[in-house]
Amino acid sequence: MKSLSLRDISVRFGEVQALDRVEISLEVGQVCMLVGPNGAGKSTLLKVLLGLVRPEQGELRIDHQMAIQDYAFREKIGYLPENVAFSENLTGWQVLSFFARARGVRKERIEEVLRFVSLEHAARRAVRGYSRGMRQRLGLAVAILTEPMLLILDEPTGGLDQEGLSVLWEVLRVWREAGRMVLLSTHDIALLERRVDQMCVFKRGRICARGTPLELREMAALPIQIYLTFDDEKVVDRLRTSEVLSSWMTEAEEKKDQGLFQVRLVIPSRALLDYFQQQPLFSSDIRGFRMEEPTLDEVYERLLEMF
């Protein structure tokens, strides 16, 4: 399986149009992130792909050919649900052994996966003694047990501490480098920005924007903030008279205890080049420089407003 796509997918629950002619595609080595408000259709799309929800219309294509969600297809999928639940009395080892037997996985793989998700120390402990993050890692272990070609993760960061997040980042890295595919739904947008190749923004059952994180930043066109620090107030006055910089200058404040003056510029992202063409006029006077890009969460909010 080198590519997978869902085309023209529509799902209705009574009066609610959960998905409206949605299209999404994945290539080998890609990690795709679905984002959007609650009820926007993200989890419904995952359930369509899992065969848990039957769409009114649409089709599944694998390697550009029509496909069906039969047993052979489901064997290629690993799934981490949003709410992980296991029998409280079973140990982590017993949970993985159950799934390994059901899927014909060798016992050695259980040990490998436990080490991968950093649960080998708790393998013989009952699940009732696991923290929420440990249960999430156990769910991730079940999802990757068969080394599936397609990994589907619904809110995978839920309950994870830094150790758990490191495990998740490693899973995404390994799956990408192995030429597999990952489709995930999340509200933790900023956490995953540098670890995904494609984002799809859902709104009311439709994908209103898609692209790489960089492409979506360019689409949102939010301004960039630059903070300049000087030790001479006369330089601030010169900034106010600069033909370009004065229009972006929003405030200047004196740091009296330090004898410094800080200026904040709010610059349209497409005008950043103009700034750097002007900035050399003051470069010898600058004592401090800091630039803040809008967060991906801010980009996401802007895209929802735009569409």
Coordinates of all heavy atoms in Angstrom, one line a residue, residues 160-197:
L160 N -0.6 12.3 28.4 CA 0.8 11.9 28.3 C 1.7 13.0 28.9 O 1.5 14.2 28.7 CB 1.2 11.8 26.8 CG 0.6 10.6 26.0 CD1 1.2 10.6 24.6 CD2 0.9 9.3 26.8
D161 N 2.6 12.6 29.8 CA 3.7 13.5 30.3 C 4.8 13.6 29.3 O 4.7 13.1 28.2 CB 4.1 13.0 31.7 CG 4.7 11.6 31.6 OD1 4.9 11.0 30.5 OD2 5.0 11.0 32.7
Q162 N 5.9 14.2 29.7 CA 7.0 14.4 28.7 C 7.6 13.1 28.2 O 7.9 12.9 27.1 CB 8.1 15.3 29.3 CG 9.1 15.7 28.3 CD 8.5 16.4 27.1 OE1 7.8 17.4 27.2 NE2 8.8 15.9 25.9
E163 N 7.6 12.1 29.1 CA 8.1 10.8 28.7 C 7.2 10.1 27.7 O 7.6 9.6 26.7 CB 8.3 9.8 30.0 CG 8.8 8.4 29.6 CD 8.8 7.5 30.8 OE1 8.2 7.8 31.8 OE2 9.5 6.5 30.7
G164 N 5.9 10.2 28.0 CA 4.9 9.7 27.1 C 4.9 10.4 25.7 O 4.8 9.7 24.7
L165 N 5.1 11.7 25.7 CA 5.2 12.4 24.5 C 6.4 12.0 23.7 O 6.3 11.9 22.4 CB 5.2 13.9 24.7 CG 3.9 14.6 25.2 CD1 4.2 16.0 25.6 CD2 2.8 14.5 24.2
S166 N 7.5 11.8 24.4 CA 8.7 11.3 23.7 C 8.5 10.0 23.0 O 9.0 9.7 21.9 CB 9.9 11.2 24.7 OG 10.2 12.5 25.2
V167 N 7.7 9.1 23.6 CA 7.4 7.8 23.0 C 6.6 8.1 21.8 O 6.8 7.5 20.7 CB 6.6 6.9 24.0 CG1 6.0 5.7 23.3 CG2 7.5 6.5 25.2
L168 N 5.6 8.9 21.9 CA 4.7 9.2 20.7 C 5.5 9.8 19.6 O 5.4 9.4 18.4 CB 3.6 10.2 21.1 CG 2.7 10.7 20.0 CD1 2.0 9.5 19.3 CD2 1.6 11.7 20.5
W169 N 6.4 10.8 19.9 CA 7.3 11.4 18.8 C 8.1 10.3 18.1 O 8.3 10.3 16.9 CB 8.2 12.4 19.4 CG 7.6 13.5 20.1 CD1 8.2 14.3 21.1 CD2 6.2 14.1 20.1 NE1 7.4 15.3 21.6 CE2 6.2 15.2 21.0 CE3 5.1 13.7 19.3 CZ2 5.0 15.9 21.2 CZ3 3.9 14.5 19.5 CH2 3.9 15.5 20.4
E170 N 8.6 9.3 18.9 CA 9.4 8.3 18.3 C 8.6 7.4 17.4 O 9.1 6.9 16.4 CB 10.1 7.4 19.5 CG 11.0 6.3 19.0 CD 12.3 6.9 18.3 OE1 12.5 8.1 18.3 OE2 13.0 6.0 17.8
V171 N 7.3 7.1 17.8 CA 6.5 6.3 17.0 C 6.3 7.0 15.6 O 6.4 6.4 14.6 CB 5.1 6.0 17.6 CG1 4.1 5.5 16.6 CG2 5.2 5.1 18.8
L172 N 6.0 8.3 15.7 CA 5.8 9.0 14.4 C 7.0 9.0 13.6 O 6.9 8.9 12.3 CB 5.4 10.5 14.8 CG 4.0 10.7 15.5 CD1 3.7 12.2 15.7 CD2 2.9 10.0 14.8
R173 N 8.2 9.2 14.2 CA 9.4 9.2 13.4 C 9.7 7.8 12.8 O 10.0 7.7 11.6 CB 10.6 9.5 14.4 CG 12.0 9.6 13.6 CD 13.1 9.6 14.6 NE 13.3 8.4 15.3 CZ 13.9 7.3 14.8 NH1 14.4 7.3 13.6 NH2 14.0 6.2 15.5
V174 N 9.5 6.7 13.5 CA 9.7 5.4 13.0 C 8.7 5.1 11.9 O 9.1 4.5 10.8 CB 9.6 4.3 14.1 CG1 9.5 2.9 13.5 CG2 10.8 4.5 15.1
W175 N 7.5 5.4 12.0 CA 6.5 5.2 11.0 C 6.8 5.9 9.7 O 6.7 5.4 8.6 CB 5.1 5.5 11.5 CG 4.3 4.2 11.7 CD1 3.2 3.8 11.1 CD2 4.6 3.2 12.7 NE1 2.7 2.6 11.6 CE2 3.6 2.2 12.5 CE3 5.6 3.0 13.6 CZ2 3.6 1.0 13.3 CZ3 5.6 1.8 14.4 CH2 4.6 0.9 14.2
R176 N 7.2 7.2 9.9 CA 7.5 8.0 8.7 C 8.7 7.4 8.0 O 8.7 7.2 6.8 CB 7.8 9.4 9.1 CG 8.2 10.3 7.9 CD 8.7 11.7 8.4 NE 7.5 12.6 8.6 CZ 7.2 13.1 9.7 NH1 8.0 12.9 10.8 NH2 6.2 14.0 9.8
E177 N 9.8 7.1 8.7 CA 11.0 6.6 8.1 C 10.8 5.2 7.5 O 11.6 4.8 6.6 CB 12.2 6.6 9.1 CG 12.6 8.0 9.6 CD 13.8 8.0 10.5 OE1 14.2 6.8 10.9 OE2 14.3 9.0 10.9
A178 N 9.9 4.4 8.0 CA 9.6 3.1 7.5 C 8.7 3.1 6.3 O 8.4 2.1 5.7 CB 9.0 2.2 8.6
G179 N 8.3 4.3 5.8 CA 7.4 4.5 4.7 C 6.0 4.0 4.9 O 5.3 3.6 4.0
R180 N 5.6 4.2 6.2 CA 4.2 3.9 6.5 C 3.4 5.2 6.6 O 3.9 6.3 6.3 CB 4.1 3.1 7.9 CG 4.9 1.8 7.8 CD 4.9 1.1 9.2 NE 5.9 0.0 9.2 CZ 6.7 -0.2 10.2 NH1 6.6 0.6 11.3 NH2 7.5 -1.2 10.2
M181 N 2.1 5.1 7.0 CA 1.3 6.3 7.1 C 0.6 6.5 8.5 O 0.4 5.5 9.1 CB 0.2 6.2 6.0 CG 0.7 6.2 4.6 SD -0.6 5.9 3.4 CE -0.6 4.1 3.3
V182 N 0.4 7.7 8.8 CA -0.2 8.0 10.1 C -1.3 9.1 9.9 O -1.0 10.1 9.2 CB 0.8 8.6 11.2 CG1 0.0 8.9 12.5 CG2 1.9 7.6 11.4
L183 N -2.5 8.8 10.4 CA -3.6 9.8 10.3 C -4.0 10.0 11.8 O -4.4 9.0 12.5 CB -4.8 9.2 9.5 CG -6.0 10.1 9.3 CD1 -5.6 11.4 8.5 CD2 -7.1 9.4 8.6
L184 N -4.0 11.2 12.2 CA -4.3 11.5 13.6 C -5.2 12.7 13.8 O -5.2 13.6 13.0 CB -3.0 11.7 14.5 CG -2.1 12.8 14.1 CD1 -2.5 14.1 14.9 CD2 -0.6 12.5 14.5
S185 N -6.0 12.6 14.8 CA -6.9 13.7 15.2 C -6.5 14.3 16.5 O -6.2 13.5 17.4 CB -8.4 13.2 15.2 OG -9.2 14.2 15.8
T186 N -6.4 15.6 16.6 CA -5.9 16.2 17.9 C -6.4 17.6 18.1 O -6.8 18.3 17.2 CB -4.4 16.2 17.9 OG1 -3.9 16.6 19.2 CG2 -3.8 17.1 16.8
H187 N -6.4 18.0 19.4 CA -6.6 19.4 19.7 C -5.3 20.1 20.1 O -5.2 21.3 20.3 CB -7.6 19.5 20.9 CG -9.0 19.2 20.5 ND1 -9.8 20.1 19.7 CD2 -9.8 18.2 20.8 CE1 -11.0 19.5 19.5 NE2 -11.0 18.4 20.2
D188 N -4.2 19.3 20.3 CA -2.9 19.8 20.7 C -2.1 20.1 19.5 O -1.1 19.5 19.1 CB -2.2 18.7 21.5 CG -2.7 18.6 22.9 OD1 -3.3 19.6 23.5 OD2 -2.6 17.5 23.5
I189 N -2.6 21.2 18.8 CA -2.0 21.5 17.5 C -0.6 21.9 17.5 O 0.3 21.5 16.8 CB -2.9 22.6 16.8 CG1 -4.3 22.2 16.7 CG2 -2.3 23.0 15.5 CD1 -5.3 23.3 16.3
A190 N -0.3 22.8 18.5 CA 1.1 23.4 18.6 C 2.1 22.3 18.9 O 3.3 22.3 18.4 CB 1.2 24.5 19.6
L191 N 1.7 21.3 19.7 CA 2.6 20.2 20.0 C 3.1 19.4 18.8 O 4.2 18.9 18.8 CB 1.9 19.2 21.0 CG 2.1 19.5 22.5 CD1 1.3 18.5 23.3 CD2 3.5 19.5 23.0
L192 N 2.2 19.3 17.8 CA 2.5 18.4 16.7 C 2.9 19.1 15.5 O 3.2 18.4 14.4 CB 1.2 17.6 16.4 CG 0.9 16.4 17.4 CD1 -0.5 16.2 17.6 CD2 1.7 15.2 17.0
E193 N 3.0 20.4 15.5 CA 3.3 21.2 14.3 C 4.5 20.7 13.5 O 4.5 20.5 12.3 CB 3.5 22.7 14.6 CG 3.9 23.5 13.4 CD 4.0 25.0 13.7 OE1 3.9 25.4 14.9 OE2 4.3 25.7 12.8
R194 N 5.6 20.4 14.2 CA 6.9 20.0 13.6 C 7.0 18.5 13.3 O 8.0 18.1 12.8 CB 8.1 20.5 14.4 CG 8.1 22.0 14.6 CD 9.3 22.5 15.3 NE 9.2 23.9 15.7 CZ 9.5 24.9 14.8 NH1 9.8 24.6 13.5 NH2 9.4 26.1 15.2
R195 N 5.9 17.8 13.6 CA 5.9 16.4 13.4 C 4.9 15.8 12.4 O 4.7 14.6 12.3 CB 5.7 15.7 14.8 CG 6.9 16.0 15.7 CD 6.7 15.5 17.1 NE 7.9 15.6 17.9 CZ 8.2 16.8 18.6 NH1 7.4 17.8 18.6 NH2 9.3 16.8 19.3
V196 N 4.3 16.7 11.7 CA 3.3 16.3 10.7 C 3.6 16.9 9.3 O 4.3 18.0 9.3 CB 1.8 16.7 11.1 CG1 1.5 16.1 12.4 CG2 1.7 18.2 11.1
D197 N 3.2 16.3 8.3 CA 3.5 16.7 6.9 C 2.3 17.5 6.3 O 2.5 18.3 5.5 CB 3.8 15.5 6.0 CG 4.9 14.7 6.6 OD1 6.0 15.2 6.6 OD2 4.6 13.5 7.0

